[in-house]
Amino acid sequence: MKVSVKTGAIHQAAADVVVIGVFRDVLVPDEAKSLDAALKGNISDILDSGDFKGKVGDSLLIYPQGVIPAKRVVLVGLGEREKYDLDAVRKVAAHAVNRVKKLKVKNWFTLVMGWSCINESDVLLEDWVQAFVEGAKLASYRYPLEKKTKTTPPALTLLLERADDIKLATKAVRHASAVAEGVMLARTLVNHPSNIATPTHLGQIAREIAEKHGIECEVHDRSWAQEQGMGSFLAVAQGAGQPPKFIEMSYTPKRKAQGTIVLVGKGITFDSGGISIKPSKDMYLMKGDMGGGAAVLGVMKAIAMIKPPVKIVALVPATDNMPDANAYKPGDVVTAMNGVSIEVRNTDAEGRMLLADALAYAKQFKPDAVVDLATLTGASVVALGRGMAAALFSNHRELEDALMQSSSLTGERLWPMPLFKEYREKLKSDVADIMHSGGRFGGVGTSATFLKEFVDFDWAHIDIAGMSFSQNKAANVFTPKGATGFGVRLITHFATNWQESKQ
């Protein structure tokens, strides 16, 4: 979707459609009064009649019949004013896109809908613009391999009152577009079947991002991982037909970096469970077990376009987890890169094996913070519910607070979880330094505690198992059925605002 910004009056816009937002208290918003006057009070009459309530998701089409240059006017509901925040702005934008799309037009214009209300809070105009464009672009996402006929989304023009706001709003559009591209990349990678989104394919995507945006990228192979002593990662890859890849990307700002953040994403491109094989029902969904890795690649695409003043390193260990004569087995003992020996109890708990070596490898970058994202446990879904929140674990309060702040502003919900020392007791092994699975109960906590064994820096673990894929229509109207791209908006905001969060 092409988005542009300019000044102008909505009642003078020569557009296929102009879109106006209305709150549930059915008052004509200040920014729409000129249009209402040009339509001789038509909008006021509709609202007075009670035929349009202004609820979120409501819309109403008006044909001006030549009274104004625009061919159509669409009213969209903004909901209750006291609940109108940035996440509501994203949803309103998505509802507007979905309504306009049905009209099969080439362009549409709108105002900073609800701004007369929301600017009474701490929200800046550029934040509103970014949220609106994110919602509009993400609602326009379509999986590129769909059989449906491809159509070009209608172009959007945002009308502003003041010319002085154009520069900031244009920057916000570019920022939102970068974030949306990152989210859509993550969605597409997770939506791809596993015979397309192989470890090799993920490596190719990483290289394409690096070449296009001028950042560093190396895609390491099995022999490199052997040289590094990554016995944990390689154990999972033993039974895979596809060759494993360890993706390493690095963005470095032109000026002196104001800190270093390392992102780690689980890249299990298909998870059969290995020897501890999963039930066949819904196993096809395990093509999405690389949701964390896909999110990290999406973040790097956005970061490369936004160019924050912080160094960002991305690590994505990628492999299938398959049963094979060479596959690792329950009872095996392997040694991770940091020398910690691991007793394997269930080969379906493979994600933490990849992350263990990636987290150990992250140490060499002397990071100020490390954040990993992974579809790690069904236990997190049991604990928090599907589509409700991702589980957040951290060994550092300020890092946790920064992530929670980004969660609040992006609408990608996190819920802090404990790292009780008693979880470590459940991971004691008779034959190794640590057992990699603590059993059924408390599985979300013991999995995070296992990862903690491989860090000696400020670290956060985000279990996105309940958030990366929706089998039904997602709660957010800008998130379709299928891959959600969860984590891209959250981590991009966190990374680009890293220095502010430390002040």
Side-chain angles (χ1 to χ4, degrees), residues 122-137:
D122 294 331
V123 174
L124 301 174
L125 176 67
E126 52 265 40
D127 293 332
W128 187 101
V129 172
Q130 181 178 333
F132 191 89
V133 174
E134 280 180 10
K137 282 183 169 285

Side-chain angles (χ1 to χ4, degrees), residues 51-80:
D51 291 342
F52 184 76
K53 302 294 185 183
K55 294 187 294 185
V56 175
D58 283 356
S59 64
L60 188 144
L61 176 63
I62 302 170
Y63 288 98
Q65 297 181 329
V67 177
I68 59 173
K71 298 175 183 178
R72 304 165 185 83
V73 175
V74 170
L75 305 183
V76 297
L78 303 182
E80 300 174 17

Side-chain angles (χ1 to χ4, degrees), residues 26 36 111 138 257 283 315 328-329 335 341 348 376 382 446 468 495 502:
V26 295
D36 187 41
L111 300 164
L138 294 178
M283 192 193 285
L315 307 175
Y328 79 133
K329 308 174 295 298
T335 303
S341 59
D348 194 22
L376 204 65
V382 173
T446 54
S468 69
K502 295 183 69 177

Side-chain angles (χ1 to χ4, degrees), residues 97-129:
V97 164
N98 291 336
R99 184 66 183 90
V100 169
K101 183 172 59 179
K102 294 178 181 178
L103 300 174
K104 298 181 180 180
V105 296
K106 293 183 178 180
N107 62 69
W108 61 294
F109 285 51
T110 192
L111 300 164
V112 186
M113 291 192 289
W115 181 245
S116 56
C117 164
I118 201 170
N119 68 356
E120 297 171 3
S121 66
D122 294 331
V123 174
L124 301 174
L125 176 67
E126 52 265 40
D127 293 332
W128 187 101
V129 172

Side-chain angles (χ1 to χ4, degrees), residues 223-297:
S223 61
W224 175 89
Q226 289 170 339
E227 292 172 3
Q228 301 299 315
M230 293 184 172
S232 186
F233 167 48
L234 290 171
V236 181
Q238 283 176 199
Q242 292 287 340
K245 302 295 179 182
F246 191 101
I247 299 166
E248 179 180 342
M249 303 176 73
S250 181
Y251 158 79
T252 304
K254 291 184 178 179
R255 296 182 180 180
K256 183 179 178 181
Q258 298 176 14
T260 299
I261 297 172
V262 178
L263 306 176
V264 179
K266 172 186 170 183
I268 293 291
T269 45
F270 187 79
D271 182 19
S272 69
I275 297 297
S276 307
I277 196 163
K278 293 177 179 289
S280 59
K281 184 179 184 297
D282 293 338
M283 192 193 285
Y284 73 98
L285 294 173
M286 290 299 100
K287 67 178 186 176
D289 206 21
M290 32 68 75
V296 167
L297 292 178

Side-chain angles (χ1 to χ4, degrees), residues 15-342:
D16 291 338
V17 186
V18 295
V19 178
I20 297 296
V22 179
F23 287 109
R24 282 199 68 173
D25 51 18
V26 295
L27 296 174
V28 176
D30 290 343
E31 57 261 28
K33 287 181 177 177
S34 65
L35 180 61
D36 187 41
L39 293 173
K40 305 185 187 307
N42 192 8
I43 296 175
S44 297
D45 290 342
I46 290 170
L47 299 180
D48 289 342
S49 73
D51 291 342
F52 184 76
K53 302 294 185 183
K55 294 187 294 185
V56 175
D58 283 356
S59 64
L60 188 144
L61 176 63
I62 302 170
Y63 288 98
Q65 297 181 329
V67 177
I68 59 173
K71 298 175 183 178
R72 304 165 185 83
V73 175
V74 170
L75 305 183
V76 297
L78 303 182
E80 300 174 17
R81 285 192 291 181
E82 58 271 20
K83 295 181 180 179
Y84 193 65
D85 56 12
L86 289 178
D87 207 42
V89 171
R90 294 184 191 95
K91 292 174 183 176
V92 165
H95 283 298
V97 164
N98 291 336
R99 184 66 183 90
V100 169
K101 183 172 59 179
K102 294 178 181 178
L103 300 174
K104 298 181 180 180
V105 296
K106 293 183 178 180
N107 62 69
W108 61 294
F109 285 51
T110 192
L111 300 164
V112 186
M113 291 192 289
W115 181 245
S116 56
C117 164
I118 201 170
N119 68 356
E120 297 171 3
S121 66
D122 294 331
V123 174
L124 301 174
L125 176 67
E126 52 265 40
D127 293 332
W128 187 101
V129 172
Q130 181 178 333
F132 191 89
V133 174
E134 280 180 10
K137 282 183 169 285
L138 294 178
S140 302
Y141 171 79
R142 293 293 179 272
Y143 176 55
L145 299 187
E146 277 185 352
K147 294 181 180 179
K148 298 176 183 177
T149 303
K150 308 297 188 297
T151 57
T152 302
L156 164 63
T157 299
L158 285 173
L159 291 178
L160 305 178
E161 291 183 358
R162 302 182 335 130
D164 290 347
D165 292 329
I166 291 290
K167 185 176 180 179
L168 281 175
T170 301
K171 181 179 179 181
V173 169
R174 288 198 298 267
H175 191 116
S177 299
V179 172
E181 284 197 33
V183 174
M184 290 188 282
L185 170 63
R187 287 178 178 177
T188 295
L189 290 175
V190 174
N191 281 331
H192 275 335
S194 62
N195 61 319
I196 293 178
T198 62
T200 299
H201 179 75
L202 296 190
Q204 290 171 343
I205 293 297
R207 286 194 182 102
E208 289 172 8
I209 294 170
E211 290 172 6
K212 182 175 181 180
H213 299 288
I215 64 175
E216 297 178 19
C217 177
E218 292 185 80
V219 180
H220 304 296
D221 60 12
R222 190 191 301 269
S223 61
W224 175 89
Q226 289 170 339
E227 292 172 3
Q228 301 299 315
M230 293 184 172
S232 186
F233 167 48
L234 290 171
V236 181
Q238 283 176 199
Q242 292 287 340
K245 302 295 179 182
F246 191 101
I247 299 166
E248 179 180 342
M249 303 176 73
S250 181
Y251 158 79
T252 304
K254 291 184 178 179
R255 296 182 180 180
K256 183 179 178 181
Q258 298 176 14
T260 299
I261 297 172
V262 178
L263 306 176
V264 179
K266 172 186 170 183
I268 293 291
T269 45
F270 187 79
D271 182 19
S272 69
I275 297 297
S276 307
I277 196 163
K278 293 177 179 289
S280 59
K281 184 179 184 297
D282 293 338
M283 192 193 285
Y284 73 98
L285 294 173
M286 290 299 100
K287 67 178 186 176
D289 206 21
M290 32 68 75
V296 167
L297 292 178
V299 170
M300 291 307 288
K301 182 172 186 176
I303 288 295
M305 297 168 72
I306 296 169
K307 298 180 175 17
V310 182
K311 180 173 181 176
I312 312 290
V313 176
L315 307 175
V316 181
T319 182
D320 286 349
N321 181 30
M322 298 292 286
D324 182 85
N326 296 315
Y328 79 133
K329 308 174 295 298
D332 284 358
V333 174
V334 300
T335 303
M337 181 181 174
N338 65 346
V340 173
S341 59
I342 303 166

Side-chain angles (χ1 to χ4, degrees), residues 247-486:
I247 299 166
E248 179 180 342
M249 303 176 73
S250 181
Y251 158 79
T252 304
K254 291 184 178 179
R255 296 182 180 180
K256 183 179 178 181
Q258 298 176 14
T260 299
I261 297 172
V262 178
L263 306 176
V264 179
K266 172 186 170 183
I268 293 291
T269 45
F270 187 79
D271 182 19
S272 69
I275 297 297
S276 307
I277 196 163
K278 293 177 179 289
S280 59
K281 184 179 184 297
D282 293 338
M283 192 193 285
Y284 73 98
L285 294 173
M286 290 299 100
K287 67 178 186 176
D289 206 21
M290 32 68 75
V296 167
L297 292 178
V299 170
M300 291 307 288
K301 182 172 186 176
I303 288 295
M305 297 168 72
I306 296 169
K307 298 180 175 17
V310 182
K311 180 173 181 176
I312 312 290
V313 176
L315 307 175
V316 181
T319 182
D320 286 349
N321 181 30
M322 298 292 286
D324 182 85
N326 296 315
Y328 79 133
K329 308 174 295 298
D332 284 358
V333 174
V334 300
T335 303
M337 181 181 174
N338 65 346
V340 173
S341 59
I342 303 166
E343 179 188 356
V344 176
R345 283 296 183 91
N346 184 333
T347 64
D348 194 22
E350 82 300 326
R352 65 200 70 181
M353 301 285 282
L354 272 64
L355 296 180
D357 276 331
L359 290 171
Y361 186 71
K363 181 179 179 179
Q364 68 176 292
F365 300 102
K366 299 179 181 178
D368 294 285
V370 176
V371 181
D372 75 72
L373 294 94
T375 51
L376 204 65
T377 67
S380 67
V381 185
V382 173
L384 297 174
R386 189 171 296 282
M388 297 299 172
L392 170 64
F393 295 85
S394 182
N395 64 357
H396 191 261
R397 173 52 70 85
E398 287 76 14
L399 174 57
E400 178 181 306
D401 289 345
L403 287 164
M404 290 302 296
Q405 176 71 3
S406 292
S407 172
S408 175
L409 292 172
T410 61
E412 293 205 309
R413 189 185 293 163
L414 301 177
W415 193 258
M417 302 287 277
L419 283 166
F420 296 134
K421 62 182 181 181
E422 287 82 4
Y423 286 138
R424 183 61 179 84
E425 295 296 312
K426 299 185 70 174
L427 297 176
K428 283 187 174 181
S429 168
D430 294 331
V431 295
D433 294 323
I434 191 169
M435 191 162 58
H436 92 311
S437 177
R440 176 182 177 189
F441 298 106
V444 65
T446 54
S447 65
T449 300
F450 172 82
L451 296 179
K452 188 171 179 285
E453 200 79 6
F454 302 88
V455 305
D456 58 359
F457 35 69
D458 296 346
W459 158 77
H461 161 60
I462 303 176
D463 191 333
I464 64 172
M467 304 301 292
S468 69
F469 198 89
S470 174
Q471 291 178 255
N472 302 302
K473 184 173 176 59
N476 284 335
V477 66
F478 54 84
T479 304
K481 181 179 179 180
T484 65
F486 182 93

